[in-house]
Amino acid sequence: MYMPFWKSELYVEISPWFPFGKDYQPVSVNRFYDSTLKQIASSCLDLGSEFFFMASPQTGCVGNLPRENFFKYGPDTLMNLGFLMILGYSDYMERSIIASLGLLESAHGLFPGITSCSLWSRGVFHGTAKVIAIASNEPFYDCTEYLKGLAGVLSDSKKFFKTGDNAAYYAEKFGYERFFIQWEHDNPIDLRVSQLLAEFELEGTKEIVGDSSDVDFPPFMGAAVSMLEMK
């Protein structure tokens, strides 16, 4: 089982002082939010991913990207409706999220997908990353139980994939050099083949290879993330 590709690209506004060089708190910064989110952030690094962003009515906007909110955990003055989590893409993380959606009852109503996320600060573009987005079309979705279950699934995934616990530890000890390459996890040949198949418009071709794997992004009513329909 694989995740679909969303047709929409995500845009996230970050603070001007976001650490694009070395980040010495890619895990521990999340302790200001909640111990569960700190555990998720740690597991993400060990699985080749990163806990970029999350928005919900219960938490407001949190994660490694919105650093201006690191001192608060709770709803913003502007109501964030719906649930959205953005994680850096990796094969391990994709399989872990799929497992969480199948194992956890609290995942009912969540929709995962793969898309691009562009980072902006005061109108300046800072890069684009390939990400996994998990969204809910329920405006008041309570993510508390899902986060607890997800933390357990990610911890089990580290053991199953035998990734160890070293990445998060060394990132905190020596600093985490963050940079964004949109397709760093993809095979260039596979990308080219996918592009060629997507450009075919003959009905006979669709009967052989099937329809496009791109699907519409589920309705999301958050205040901090905007979406651009990809042509």
Side-chain angles (χ1 to χ4, degrees):
M1 179 179 177
Y2 295 94
M3 291 184 185
F5 287 85
W6 299 131
K7 289 181 180 179
S8 301
E9 181 176 351
L10 301 176
Y11 286 74
V12 178
E13 183 74 17
I14 60 176
S15 62
W17 45 272
F18 179 80
F20 276 102
K22 277 197 174 183
D23 186 349
Y24 289 94
Q25 292 185 314
V27 174
S28 58
V29 69
N30 294 284
R31 75 181 184 274
F32 295 104
Y33 305 139
D34 183 82
S35 59
T36 301
L37 292 181
K38 180 183 176 183
Q39 183 181 350
I40 289 175
S42 176
S43 295
C44 283
L45 288 181
D46 289 330
L47 291 168
S49 175
E50 185 179 358
F51 174 46
F52 283 142
F53 179 89
M54 188 181 77
S56 76
Q58 294 79 29
T59 65
C61 298
V62 297
N64 284 3
L65 293 183
R67 288 298 176 91
E68 66 275 14
N69 294 336
F70 76 91
F71 57 86
K72 67 185 292 286
Y73 180 75
D76 295 326
T77 54
L78 294 175
M79 174 62 75
N80 288 285
L81 299 179
F83 169 78
L84 177 67
M85 175 179 277
I86 301 176
L87 307 172
Y89 179 84
S90 75
D91 179 65
Y92 289 152
M93 182 56 67
E94 180 180 8
R95 287 188 274 175
S96 300
I97 294 300
I98 291 173
S100 76
L101 298 177
L103 294 172
L104 303 176
E105 184 178 349
S106 56
H108 178 72
L110 295 181
F111 304 91
I114 299 171
T115 187
S116 298
C117 181
S118 297
L119 307 184
W120 295 79
S121 177
R122 296 181 178 179
V124 178
F125 172 71
H126 287 280
T128 301
K130 180 180 179 182
V131 299
I132 295 172
I134 310 167
S136 171
N137 56 11
E138 299 178 15
F140 299 103
Y141 175 79
D142 188 345
C143 62
T144 305
E145 292 303 317
Y146 175 69
L147 294 179
K148 292 179 181 177
L150 177 62
V153 170
L154 296 183
S155 179
D156 291 341
S157 293
K158 292 191 297 183
K159 300 174 184 176
F160 179 80
F161 295 124
K162 298 180 180 179
T163 61
D165 298 317
N166 294 329
Y169 169 79
Y170 288 113
E172 287 280 305
K173 187 174 181 64
F174 299 109
Y176 179 63
E177 293 193 23
R178 181 187 291 106
F179 58 93
F180 299 96
I181 301 177
Q182 187 173 3
W183 307 113
E184 61 179 314
H185 296 281
D186 295 278
N187 185 314
I189 297 178
D190 291 342
L191 290 174
R192 180 57 178 162
V193 170
S194 298
Q195 180 183 1
L196 291 173
L197 290 175
E199 291 173 351
F200 281 125
E201 297 181 357
L202 299 177
E203 291 299 325
T205 305
K206 291 183 179 180
E207 291 179 3
I208 298 175
V209 301
D211 293 328
S212 172
S213 60
D214 292 352
V215 299
D216 293 330
F217 198 97
F220 176 73
M221 304 176 68
V225 177
S226 61
M227 292 175 288
L228 177 67
E229 187 73 12
M230 300 178 71
K231 305 298 183 181

